[in-house]
Amino acid sequence: SRSCAVVMCLTVGVLGTSDVYSLLVKRGPGCPDEIGKWCIPCGYMDWNESGTEAAKRELFEETGIKFDELIKSQIRSFGMMDKFMEQPFFVNHYVQSNRQNVTLYFGRHIVLNELPKIDLSSLDRQETADVKFVHQKDLEHIDFAFGHKKVTEMWEDHLLKI
């Protein structure tokens, strides 16, 4: 049994606009719960894996996006933002019904010329039904799993403080 979960908040700003998008995953029919709802890429840490490694792996497994390649394509760097993947921006260690006791929340905001293309063909469609970037103003209309609406708000608040 794995005892630690990771969540990978990825937001993208589009150069020349004030638009910010959050990357979300629609849970597929093979998921154990919350089927058809949207969530932030997430999953469990494997043995001998750091939180950062797990967050990057889950991002790739659920969206097909390779974090390190995506970062190389960013237009603008934010100094402290470059260090965000070294440590989680939030740690939840409270017992919740039928959930992991520890969740590490990682995040990264990048600016690109345009939103990355998403290729669903390599994904496990039993786990991931869909992937999309959702404009920040549209998040209130999303049917979120696992209380991830609150996580998007925490990440946005965190970004405003830096």
Side-chain angles (χ1 to χ4, degrees):
S1 157
R2 296 179 273 185
S3 63
C4 188
V6 294
V7 176
M8 177 58 205
C9 300
L10 178 66
T11 51
V12 176
V14 177
L15 189 65
T17 73
S18 60
D19 295 337
V20 176
Y21 297 84
S22 290
L23 181 64
L24 299 180
V25 173
K26 188 173 189 178
R27 293 178 57 77
C31 291
D33 56 5
E34 306 279 3
I35 295 168
K37 291 189 177 185
W38 292 88
C39 65
I40 299 165
C42 59
Y44 300 108
M45 285 176 61
D46 288 337
W47 294 107
N48 296 318
E49 182 177 51
S50 73
T52 300
E53 291 166 341
K56 290 178 181 182
R57 178 182 49 76
E58 287 295 340
L59 178 70
F60 176 70
E61 288 178 2
E62 294 187 2
T63 70
I65 294 175
K66 295 179 179 176
F67 180 83
D68 293 330
E69 288 179 17
L70 183 66
I71 294 306
K72 290 177 188 172
S73 66
Q74 72 181 335
I75 301 301
R76 215 163 103 203
S77 181
F78 292 90
M80 278 302 294
M81 186 64 65
D82 292 335
K83 302 218 178 276
F84 272 16
M85 283 303 296
E86 293 175 13
Q87 295 293 323
F89 72 90
F90 183 74
V91 176
N92 180 358
H93 57 89
Y94 302 106
V95 176
Q96 299 169 350
S97 63
N98 201 27
R99 293 278 173 242
Q100 296 300 114
N101 288 342
V102 177
T103 303
L104 306 176
Y105 295 86
F106 290 89
R108 183 65 186 255
H109 178 78
I110 62 172
V111 175
L112 301 170
N113 281 321
E114 62 185 9
L115 291 175
K117 304 291 184 250
I118 297 171
D119 179 8
L120 301 176
S121 66
S122 66
L123 303 179
D124 177 355
R125 299 309 295 274
Q126 288 298 306
E127 182 178 352
T128 302
D130 198 5
V131 178
K132 66 181 178 180
F133 284 96
V134 177
H135 196 283
Q136 294 296 93
K137 67 177 174 45
D138 297 326
L139 291 175
E140 64 187 80
H141 306 294
I142 297 293
D143 186 16
F144 279 100
F146 313 122
H148 279 189
K149 167 100 173 77
K150 179 68 176 164
V151 177
T152 64
E153 294 166 356
M154 289 175 7
W155 176 238
E156 185 176 348
D157 289 346
H158 186 75
L159 288 174
L160 291 173
K161 293 176 185 173
I162 59 167

